[in-house]
PDB file of all heavy atoms in Angstrom:
ATOM      1  N   GLY A  37      38.041 -57.410 -69.671  1.00 92.00           N
ATOM      2  CA  GLY A  37      36.934 -57.868 -68.832  1.00 92.00           C
ATOM      3  C   GLY A  37      36.780 -59.379 -68.887  1.00 92.00           C
ATOM      4  O   GLY A  37      36.554 -60.030 -67.861  1.00 92.00           O
ATOM      5  N   VAL A  38      36.904 -59.934 -70.089  1.00 92.00           N
ATOM      6  CA  VAL A  38      36.829 -61.398 -70.235  1.00 92.00           C
ATOM      7  C   VAL A  38      37.997 -62.053 -69.498  1.00 92.00           C
ATOM      8  O   VAL A  38      37.825 -63.073 -68.818  1.00 92.00           O
ATOM      9  CB  VAL A  38      36.816 -61.791 -71.729  1.00 92.00           C
ATOM     10  CG1 VAL A  38      36.991 -63.285 -71.904  1.00 92.00           C
ATOM     11  CG2 VAL A  38      35.523 -61.328 -72.390  1.00 92.00           C
ATOM     12  N   ALA A  39      39.182 -61.468 -69.613  1.00 93.00           N
ATOM     13  CA  ALA A  39      40.362 -62.023 -68.926  1.00 93.00           C
ATOM     14  C   ALA A  39      40.176 -61.988 -67.416  1.00 93.00           C
ATOM     15  O   ALA A  39      40.518 -62.944 -66.715  1.00 93.00           O
ATOM     16  CB  ALA A  39      41.619 -61.251 -69.326  1.00 93.00           C
ATOM     17  N   ILE A  40      39.613 -60.906 -66.903  1.00 94.00           N
ATOM     18  CA  ILE A  40      39.348 -60.817 -65.466  1.00 94.00           C
ATOM     19  C   ILE A  40      38.320 -61.867 -65.066  1.00 94.00           C
ATOM     20  O   ILE A  40      38.441 -62.494 -64.013  1.00 94.00           O
ATOM     21  CB  ILE A  40      38.913 -59.390 -65.090  1.00 94.00           C
ATOM     22  CG1 ILE A  40      40.109 -58.447 -65.201  1.00 94.00           C
ATOM     23  CG2 ILE A  40      38.331 -59.341 -63.681  1.00 94.00           C
ATOM     24  CD1 ILE A  40      39.768 -56.986 -65.094  1.00 94.00           C
ATOM     25  N   GLY A  41      37.316 -62.074 -65.912  1.00 95.00           N
ATOM     26  CA  GLY A  41      36.338 -63.130 -65.652  1.00 95.00           C
ATOM     27  C   GLY A  41      36.991 -64.499 -65.576  1.00 95.00           C
ATOM     28  O   GLY A  41      36.634 -65.328 -64.722  1.00 95.00           O
ATOM     29  N   LEU A  42      37.952 -64.748 -66.472  1.00 95.00           N
ATOM     30  CA  LEU A  42      38.687 -66.024 -66.426  1.00 95.00           C
ATOM     31  C   LEU A  42      39.467 -66.159 -65.122  1.00 95.00           C
ATOM     32  O   LEU A  42      39.517 -67.244 -64.528  1.00 95.00           O
ATOM     33  CB  LEU A  42      39.648 -66.128 -67.610  1.00 95.00           C
ATOM     34  CG  LEU A  42      39.047 -66.513 -68.946  1.00 95.00           C
ATOM     35  CD1 LEU A  42      40.077 -66.366 -70.056  1.00 95.00           C
ATOM     36  CD2 LEU A  42      38.515 -67.930 -68.902  1.00 95.00           C
ATOM     37  N   LEU A  43      40.079 -65.069 -64.684  1.00 95.00           N
ATOM     38  CA  LEU A  43      40.831 -65.128 -63.426  1.00 95.00           C
ATOM     39  C   LEU A  43      39.907 -65.380 -62.238  1.00 95.00           C
ATOM     40  O   LEU A  43      40.253 -66.151 -61.330  1.00 95.00           O
ATOM     41  CB  LEU A  43      41.627 -63.838 -63.228  1.00 95.00           C
ATOM     42  CG  LEU A  43      42.800 -63.640 -64.191  1.00 95.00           C
ATOM     43  CD1 LEU A  43      43.412 -62.260 -64.029  1.00 95.00           C
ATOM     44  CD2 LEU A  43      43.839 -64.720 -63.983  1.00 95.00           C
ATOM     45  N   VAL A  44      38.738 -64.764 -62.228  1.00 96.00           N
ATOM     46  CA  VAL A  44      37.776 -65.007 -61.150  1.00 96.00           C
ATOM     47  C   VAL A  44      37.308 -66.458 -61.194  1.00 96.00           C
ATOM     48  O   VAL A  44      37.228 -67.130 -60.156  1.00 96.00           O
ATOM     49  CB  VAL A  44      36.591 -64.028 -61.247  1.00 96.00           C
ATOM     50  CG1 VAL A  44      35.458 -64.427 -60.320  1.00 96.00           C
ATOM     51  CG2 VAL A  44      37.048 -62.601 -60.937  1.00 96.00           C
ATOM     52  N   GLY A  45      37.022 -66.943 -62.412  1.00 96.00           N
ATOM     53  CA  GLY A  45      36.629 -68.354 -62.557  1.00 96.00           C
ATOM     54  C   GLY A  45      37.727 -69.284 -62.078  1.00 96.00           C
ATOM     55  O   GLY A  45      37.467 -70.298 -61.419  1.00 96.00           O
ATOM     56  N   ALA A  46      38.973 -68.948 -62.407  1.00 96.00           N
ATOM     57  CA  ALA A  46      40.105 -69.763 -61.959  1.00 96.00           C
ATOM     58  C   ALA A  46      40.209 -69.771 -60.444  1.00 96.00           C
ATOM     59  O   ALA A  46      40.529 -70.801 -59.843  1.00 96.00           O
ATOM     60  CB  ALA A  46      41.407 -69.239 -62.573  1.00 96.00           C
ATOM     61  N   LEU A  47      39.935 -68.638 -59.826  1.00 94.00           N
ATOM     62  CA  LEU A  47      39.977 -68.575 -58.366  1.00 94.00           C
ATOM     63  C   LEU A  47      38.920 -69.492 -57.751  1.00 94.00           C
ATOM     64  O   LEU A  47      39.209 -70.226 -56.803  1.00 94.00           O
ATOM     65  CB  LEU A  47      39.769 -67.132 -57.895  1.00 94.00           C
ATOM     66  CG  LEU A  47      39.740 -66.908 -56.389  1.00 94.00           C
ATOM     67  CD1 LEU A  47      41.075 -67.316 -55.765  1.00 94.00           C
ATOM     68  CD2 LEU A  47      39.427 -65.463 -56.075  1.00 94.00           C
ATOM     69  N   VAL A  48      37.715 -69.470 -58.309  1.00 96.00           N
ATOM     70  CA  VAL A  48      36.654 -70.343 -57.795  1.00 96.00           C
ATOM     71  C   VAL A  48      37.043 -71.808 -57.959  1.00 96.00           C
ATOM     72  O   VAL A  48      36.914 -72.606 -57.022  1.00 96.00           O
ATOM     73  CB  VAL A  48      35.314 -70.038 -58.509  1.00 96.00           C
ATOM     74  CG1 VAL A  48      34.265 -71.095 -58.198  1.00 96.00           C
ATOM     75  CG2 VAL A  48      34.813 -68.652 -58.132  1.00 96.00           C
ATOM     76  N   VAL A  49      37.538 -72.168 -59.155  1.00 96.00           N
ATOM     77  CA  VAL A  49      37.943 -73.559 -59.407  1.00 96.00           C
ATOM     78  C   VAL A  49      39.102 -73.953 -58.487  1.00 96.00           C
ATOM     79  O   VAL A  49      39.139 -75.071 -57.961  1.00 96.00           O
ATOM     80  CB  VAL A  49      38.302 -73.757 -60.897  1.00 96.00           C
ATOM     81  CG1 VAL A  49      38.926 -75.126 -61.139  1.00 96.00           C
ATOM     82  CG2 VAL A  49      37.063 -73.591 -61.764  1.00 96.00           C
ATOM     83  N   ALA A  50      40.038 -73.034 -58.289  1.00 93.00           N
ATOM     84  CA  ALA A  50      41.170 -73.333 -57.414  1.00 93.00           C
ATOM     85  C   ALA A  50      40.714 -73.560 -55.972  1.00 93.00           C
ATOM     86  O   ALA A  50      41.228 -74.459 -55.287  1.00 93.00           O
ATOM     87  CB  ALA A  50      42.198 -72.202 -57.468  1.00 93.00           C
ATOM     88  N   LEU A  51      39.747 -72.772 -55.516  1.00 92.00           N
ATOM     89  CA  LEU A  51      39.237 -72.976 -54.153  1.00 92.00           C
ATOM     90  C   LEU A  51      38.543 -74.326 -54.021  1.00 92.00           C
ATOM     91  O   LEU A  51      38.713 -75.023 -53.015  1.00 92.00           O
ATOM     92  CB  LEU A  51      38.292 -71.834 -53.769  1.00 92.00           C
ATOM     93  CG  LEU A  51      38.970 -70.478 -53.552  1.00 92.00           C
ATOM     94  CD1 LEU A  51      37.916 -69.399 -53.329  1.00 92.00           C
ATOM     95  CD2 LEU A  51      39.938 -70.542 -52.392  1.00 92.00           C
ATOM     96  N   VAL A  52      37.762 -74.689 -55.044  1.00 93.00           N
ATOM     97  CA  VAL A  52      37.123 -76.013 -55.018  1.00 93.00           C
ATOM     98  C   VAL A  52      38.185 -77.105 -55.047  1.00 93.00           C
ATOM     99  O   VAL A  52      38.094 -78.103 -54.327  1.00 93.00           O
ATOM    100  CB  VAL A  52      36.131 -76.158 -56.201  1.00 93.00           C
ATOM    101  CG1 VAL A  52      35.634 -77.591 -56.330  1.00 93.00           C
ATOM    102  CG2 VAL A  52      34.953 -75.202 -56.027  1.00 93.00           C
ATOM    103  N   ALA A  53      39.226 -76.908 -55.871  1.00 91.00           N
ATOM    104  CA  ALA A  53      40.307 -77.904 -55.956  1.00 91.00           C
ATOM    105  C   ALA A  53      41.009 -78.066 -54.616  1.00 91.00           C
ATOM    106  O   ALA A  53      41.294 -79.193 -54.189  1.00 91.00           O
ATOM    107  CB  ALA A  53      41.304 -77.494 -57.037  1.00 91.00           C
ATOM    108  N   LEU A  54      41.277 -76.957 -53.959  1.00 88.00           N
ATOM    109  CA  LEU A  54      41.912 -77.047 -52.643  1.00 88.00           C
ATOM    110  C   LEU A  54      41.015 -77.778 -51.646  1.00 88.00           C
ATOM    111  O   LEU A  54      41.494 -78.574 -50.832  1.00 88.00           O
ATOM    112  CB  LEU A  54      42.258 -75.655 -52.125  1.00 88.00           C
ATOM    113  CG  LEU A  54      43.411 -74.955 -52.840  1.00 88.00           C
ATOM    114  CD1 LEU A  54      43.556 -73.525 -52.322  1.00 88.00           C
ATOM    115  CD2 LEU A  54      44.696 -75.734 -52.655  1.00 88.00           C
ATOM    116  N   ASN A  55      39.725 -77.513 -51.722  1.00 89.00           N
ATOM    117  CA  ASN A  55      38.777 -78.194 -50.838  1.00 89.00           C
ATOM    118  C   ASN A  55      38.785 -79.702 -51.105  1.00 89.00           C
ATOM    119  O   ASN A  55      38.842 -80.509 -50.168  1.00 89.00           O
ATOM    120  CB  ASN A  55      37.388 -77.605 -51.021  1.00 89.00           C
ATOM    121  CG  ASN A  55      36.408 -78.098 -49.994  1.00 89.00           C
ATOM    122  OD1 ASN A  55      36.779 -78.464 -48.897  1.00 89.00           O
ATOM    123  ND2 ASN A  55      35.134 -78.111 -50.355  1.00 89.00           N
ATOM    124  N   VAL A  56      38.728 -80.066 -52.386  1.00 87.00           N
ATOM    125  CA  VAL A  56      38.721 -81.486 -52.740  1.00 87.00           C
ATOM    126  C   VAL A  56      40.051 -82.143 -52.363  1.00 87.00           C
ATOM    127  O   VAL A  56      40.081 -83.264 -51.840  1.00 87.00           O
ATOM    128  CB  VAL A  56      38.410 -81.672 -54.242  1.00 87.00           C
ATOM    129  CG1 VAL A  56      38.620 -83.105 -54.683  1.00 87.00           C
ATOM    130  CG2 VAL A  56      36.979 -81.236 -54.539  1.00 87.00           C
ATOM    131  N   LEU A  57      41.158 -81.438 -52.639  1.00 86.00           N
ATOM    132  CA  LEU A  57      42.458 -82.003 -52.292  1.00 86.00           C
ATOM    133  C   LEU A  57      42.619 -82.186 -50.784  1.00 86.00           C
ATOM    134  O   LEU A  57      43.163 -83.203 -50.329  1.00 86.00           O
ATOM    135  CB  LEU A  57      43.588 -81.115 -52.833  1.00 86.00           C
ATOM    136  CG  LEU A  57      43.798 -81.170 -54.339  1.00 86.00           C
ATOM    137  CD1 LEU A  57      44.745 -80.068 -54.779  1.00 86.00           C
ATOM    138  CD2 LEU A  57      44.311 -82.538 -54.749  1.00 86.00           C
ATOM    139  N   ALA A  58      42.119 -81.230 -50.031  1.00 82.00           N
ATOM    140  CA  ALA A  58      42.181 -81.371 -48.575  1.00 82.00           C
ATOM    141  C   ALA A  58      41.335 -82.553 -48.117  1.00 82.00           C
ATOM    142  O   ALA A  58      41.766 -83.348 -47.271  1.00 82.00           O
ATOM    143  CB  ALA A  58      41.716 -80.084 -47.909  1.00 82.00           C
ATOM    144  N   GLY A  59      40.150 -82.669 -48.693  1.00 85.00           N
ATOM    145  CA  GLY A  59      39.301 -83.823 -48.362  1.00 85.00           C
ATOM    146  C   GLY A  59      39.952 -85.133 -48.758  1.00 85.00           C
ATOM    147  O   GLY A  59      39.877 -86.129 -48.027  1.00 85.00           O
ATOM    148  N   ALA A  60      40.620 -85.113 -49.918  1.00 84.00           N
ATOM    149  CA  ALA A  60      41.290 -86.326 -50.379  1.00 84.00           C
ATOM    150  C   ALA A  60      42.462 -86.695 -49.481  1.00 84.00           C
ATOM    151  O   ALA A  60      42.676 -87.876 -49.175  1.00 84.00           O
ATOM    152  CB  ALA A  60      41.786 -86.130 -51.811  1.00 84.00           C
ATOM    153  N   LEU A  61      43.191 -85.700 -49.064  1.00 83.00           N
ATOM    154  CA  LEU A  61      44.318 -85.974 -48.181  1.00 83.00           C
ATOM    155  C   LEU A  61      43.841 -86.535 -46.840  1.00 83.00           C
ATOM    156  O   LEU A  61      44.387 -87.525 -46.338  1.00 83.00           O
ATOM    157  CB  LEU A  61      45.140 -84.696 -47.968  1.00 83.00           C
ATOM    158  CG  LEU A  61      46.390 -84.829 -47.123  1.00 83.00           C
ATOM    159  CD1 LEU A  61      47.349 -85.842 -47.740  1.00 83.00           C
ATOM    160  CD2 LEU A  61      47.058 -83.471 -46.981  1.00 83.00           C
ATOM    161  N   VAL A  62      42.806 -85.912 -46.300  1.00 80.00           N
ATOM    162  CA  VAL A  62      42.253 -86.404 -45.034  1.00 80.00           C
ATOM    163  C   VAL A  62      41.729 -87.822 -45.203  1.00 80.00           C
ATOM    164  O   VAL A  62      42.008 -88.708 -44.391  1.00 80.00           O
ATOM    165  CB  VAL A  62      41.147 -85.460 -44.516  1.00 80.00           C
ATOM    166  CG1 VAL A  62      40.389 -86.084 -43.353  1.00 80.00           C
ATOM    167  CG2 VAL A  62      41.744 -84.123 -44.116  1.00 80.00           C
ATOM    168  N   ALA A  63      40.952 -88.055 -46.279  1.00 86.00           N
ATOM    169  CA  ALA A  63      40.394 -89.395 -46.514  1.00 86.00           C
ATOM    170  C   ALA A  63      41.510 -90.407 -46.771  1.00 86.00           C
ATOM    171  O   ALA A  63      41.437 -91.549 -46.296  1.00 86.00           O
ATOM    172  CB  ALA A  63      39.426 -89.367 -47.686  1.00 86.00           C
ATOM    173  N   GLY A  64      42.541 -89.994 -47.515  1.00 84.00           N
ATOM    174  CA  GLY A  64      43.652 -90.898 -47.814  1.00 84.00           C
ATOM    175  C   GLY A  64      44.415 -91.292 -46.569  1.00 84.00           C
ATOM    176  O   GLY A  64      44.783 -92.455 -46.397  1.00 84.00           O
ATOM    177  N   ILE A  65      44.645 -90.316 -45.722  1.00 76.00           N
ATOM    178  CA  ILE A  65      45.370 -90.626 -44.492  1.00 76.00           C
ATOM    179  C   ILE A  65      44.488 -91.450 -43.560  1.00 76.00           C
ATOM    180  O   ILE A  65      44.948 -92.428 -42.969  1.00 76.00           O
ATOM    181  CB  ILE A  65      45.845 -89.327 -43.811  1.00 76.00           C
ATOM    182  CG1 ILE A  65      46.952 -88.681 -44.660  1.00 76.00           C
ATOM    183  CG2 ILE A  65      46.326 -89.590 -42.396  1.00 76.00           C
ATOM    184  CD1 ILE A  65      47.343 -87.295 -44.207  1.00 76.00           C
ATOM    185  N   ALA A  66      43.229 -91.063 -43.449  1.00 79.00           N
ATOM    186  CA  ALA A  66      42.324 -91.760 -42.536  1.00 79.00           C
ATOM    187  C   ALA A  66      42.086 -93.198 -42.967  1.00 79.00           C
ATOM    188  O   ALA A  66      42.012 -94.092 -42.133  1.00 79.00           O
ATOM    189  CB  ALA A  66      40.994 -91.023 -42.432  1.00 79.00           C
ATOM    190  N   GLU A  67      41.981 -93.404 -44.211  1.00 75.00           N
ATOM    191  CA  GLU A  67      41.657 -94.746 -44.698  1.00 75.00           C
ATOM    192  C   GLU A  67      42.893 -95.498 -45.201  1.00 75.00           C
ATOM    193  O   GLU A  67      42.778 -96.634 -45.664  1.00 75.00           O
ATOM    194  CB  GLU A  67      40.617 -94.651 -45.812  1.00 75.00           C
ATOM    195  CG  GLU A  67      39.310 -94.035 -45.327  1.00 75.00           C
ATOM    196  CD  GLU A  67      38.296 -93.899 -46.432  1.00 75.00           C
ATOM    197  OE1 GLU A  67      38.443 -94.583 -47.474  1.00 75.00           O
ATOM    198  OE2 GLU A  67      37.367 -93.111 -46.263  1.00 75.00           O
ATOM    199  N   LEU A  68      44.031 -94.860 -45.146  1.00 77.00           N
ATOM    200  CA  LEU A  68      45.286 -95.468 -45.575  1.00 77.00           C
ATOM    201  C   LEU A  68      45.203 -96.015 -47.005  1.00 77.00           C
ATOM    202  O   LEU A  68      45.587 -97.157 -47.291  1.00 77.00           O
ATOM    203  CB  LEU A  68      45.738 -96.550 -44.601  1.00 77.00           C
ATOM    204  CG  LEU A  68      46.121 -96.040 -43.220  1.00 77.00           C
ATOM    205  CD1 LEU A  68      46.390 -97.199 -42.280  1.00 77.00           C
ATOM    206  CD2 LEU A  68      47.340 -95.126 -43.319  1.00 77.00           C
ATOM    207  N   GLY A  69      44.703 -95.125 -47.913  1.00 77.00           N
ATOM    208  CA  GLY A  69      44.740 -95.456 -49.333  1.00 77.00           C
ATOM    209  C   GLY A  69      43.547 -96.189 -49.880  1.00 77.00           C
ATOM    210  O   GLY A  69      43.631 -96.715 -50.990  1.00 77.00           O
ATOM    211  N   LEU A  70      42.449 -96.229 -49.209  1.00 64.00           N
ATOM    212  CA  LEU A  70      41.263 -96.842 -49.801  1.00 64.00           C
ATOM    213  C   LEU A  70      40.799 -96.006 -50.986  1.00 64.00           C
ATOM    214  O   LEU A  70      41.013 -94.805 -51.053  1.00 64.00           O
ATOM    215  CB  LEU A  70      40.156 -96.993 -48.766  1.00 64.00           C
ATOM    216  CG  LEU A  70      40.439 -97.979 -47.626  1.00 64.00           C
ATOM    217  CD1 LEU A  70      39.310 -97.975 -46.628  1.00 64.00           C
ATOM    218  CD2 LEU A  70      40.671 -99.376 -48.174  1.00 64.00           C
ATOM    219  N   SER A  71      40.136 -96.600 -51.935  1.00 82.00           N
ATOM    220  CA  SER A  71      39.836 -95.967 -53.214  1.00 82.00           C
ATOM    221  C   SER A  71      39.061 -94.642 -53.152  1.00 82.00           C
ATOM    222  O   SER A  71      39.325 -93.768 -53.963  1.00 82.00           O
ATOM    223  CB  SER A  71      39.143 -96.952 -54.150  1.00 82.00           C
ATOM    224  OG  SER A  71      37.880 -97.303 -53.634  1.00 82.00           O
ATOM    225  N   PRO A  72      38.102 -94.427 -52.250  1.00 84.00           N
ATOM    226  CA  PRO A  72      37.408 -93.124 -52.253  1.00 84.00           C
ATOM    227  C   PRO A  72      38.358 -91.944 -52.024  1.00 84.00           C
ATOM    228  O   PRO A  72      38.218 -90.898 -52.656  1.00 84.00           O
ATOM    229  CB  PRO A  72      36.389 -93.244 -51.120  1.00 84.00           C
ATOM    230  CG  PRO A  72      36.130 -94.698 -50.986  1.00 84.00           C
ATOM    231  CD  PRO A  72      37.435 -95.360 -51.322  1.00 84.00           C
ATOM    232  N   GLY A  73      39.320 -92.111 -51.182  1.00 81.00           N
ATOM    233  CA  GLY A  73      40.284 -91.033 -50.929  1.00 81.00           C
ATOM    234  C   GLY A  73      41.152 -90.736 -52.139  1.00 81.00           C
ATOM    235  O   GLY A  73      41.391 -89.586 -52.482  1.00 81.00           O
ATOM    236  N   TRP A  74      41.629 -91.797 -52.794  1.00 78.00           N
ATOM    237  CA  TRP A  74      42.486 -91.591 -53.959  1.00 78.00           C
ATOM    238  C   TRP A  74      41.690 -91.056 -55.143  1.00 78.00           C
ATOM    239  O   TRP A  74      42.218 -90.277 -55.950  1.00 78.00           O
ATOM    240  CB  TRP A  74      43.221 -92.879 -54.314  1.00 78.00           C
ATOM    241  CG  TRP A  74      44.190 -93.259 -53.217  1.00 78.00           C
ATOM    242  CD1 TRP A  74      44.136 -94.362 -52.423  1.00 78.00           C
ATOM    243  CD2 TRP A  74      45.326 -92.497 -52.776  1.00 78.00           C
ATOM    244  NE1 TRP A  74      45.161 -94.349 -51.509  1.00 78.00           N
ATOM    245  CE2 TRP A  74      45.914 -93.204 -51.715  1.00 78.00           C
ATOM    246  CE3 TRP A  74      45.899 -91.297 -53.167  1.00 78.00           C
ATOM    247  CZ2 TRP A  74      47.045 -92.756 -51.048  1.00 78.00           C
ATOM    248  CZ3 TRP A  74      47.030 -90.847 -52.486  1.00 78.00           C
ATOM    249  CH2 TRP A  74      47.582 -91.577 -51.453  1.00 78.00           C
ATOM    250  N   ALA A  75      40.445 -91.420 -55.225  1.00 83.00           N
ATOM    251  CA  ALA A  75      39.600 -90.876 -56.298  1.00 83.00           C
ATOM    252  C   ALA A  75      39.406 -89.368 -56.104  1.00 83.00           C
ATOM    253  O   ALA A  75      39.492 -88.589 -57.061  1.00 83.00           O
ATOM    254  CB  ALA A  75      38.253 -91.586 -56.323  1.00 83.00           C
ATOM    255  N   ALA A  76      39.166 -88.959 -54.875  1.00 84.00           N
ATOM    256  CA  ALA A  76      39.022 -87.533 -54.596  1.00 84.00           C
ATOM    257  C   ALA A  76      40.328 -86.790 -54.877  1.00 84.00           C
ATOM    258  O   ALA A  76      40.327 -85.659 -55.376  1.00 84.00           O
ATOM    259  CB  ALA A  76      38.588 -87.325 -53.146  1.00 84.00           C
ATOM    260  N   LEU A  77      41.458 -87.420 -54.597  1.00 81.00           N
ATOM    261  CA  LEU A  77      42.760 -86.823 -54.879  1.00 81.00           C
ATOM    262  C   LEU A  77      42.950 -86.602 -56.384  1.00 81.00           C
ATOM    263  O   LEU A  77      43.423 -85.552 -56.813  1.00 81.00           O
ATOM    264  CB  LEU A  77      43.875 -87.710 -54.317  1.00 81.00           C
ATOM    265  CG  LEU A  77      45.294 -87.178 -54.436  1.00 81.00           C
ATOM    266  CD1 LEU A  77      45.448 -85.904 -53.617  1.00 81.00           C
ATOM    267  CD2 LEU A  77      46.278 -88.238 -53.968  1.00 81.00           C
ATOM    268  N   ALA A  78      42.558 -87.585 -57.189  1.00 81.00           N
ATOM    269  CA  ALA A  78      42.685 -87.462 -58.647  1.00 81.00           C
ATOM    270  C   ALA A  78      41.797 -86.330 -59.176  1.00 81.00           C
ATOM    271  O   ALA A  78      42.226 -85.526 -60.000  1.00 81.00           O
ATOM    272  CB  ALA A  78      42.335 -88.787 -59.313  1.00 81.00           C
ATOM    273  N   VAL A  79      40.561 -86.261 -58.673  1.00 81.00           N
ATOM    274  CA  VAL A  79      39.648 -85.198 -59.113  1.00 81.00           C
ATOM    275  C   VAL A  79      40.203 -83.830 -58.723  1.00 81.00           C
ATOM    276  O   VAL A  79      40.197 -82.883 -59.518  1.00 81.00           O
ATOM    277  CB  VAL A  79      38.234 -85.411 -58.522  1.00 81.00           C
ATOM    278  CG1 VAL A  79      37.358 -84.191 -58.752  1.00 81.00           C
ATOM    279  CG2 VAL A  79      37.600 -86.648 -59.139  1.00 81.00           C
TER     280      VAL A  79
END
Side-chain angles (χ1 to χ4, degrees):
V38 170
I40 289 170
L42 281 171
L43 291 173
V44 169
L47 178 62
V48 169
V49 171
L51 290 174
V52 171
L54 289 174
N55 189 27
V56 171
L57 287 169
L61 183 59
V62 169
I65 291 171
E67 298 178 19
L68 294 173
L70 294 177
S71 65
W74 294 115
L77 184 64
V79 169

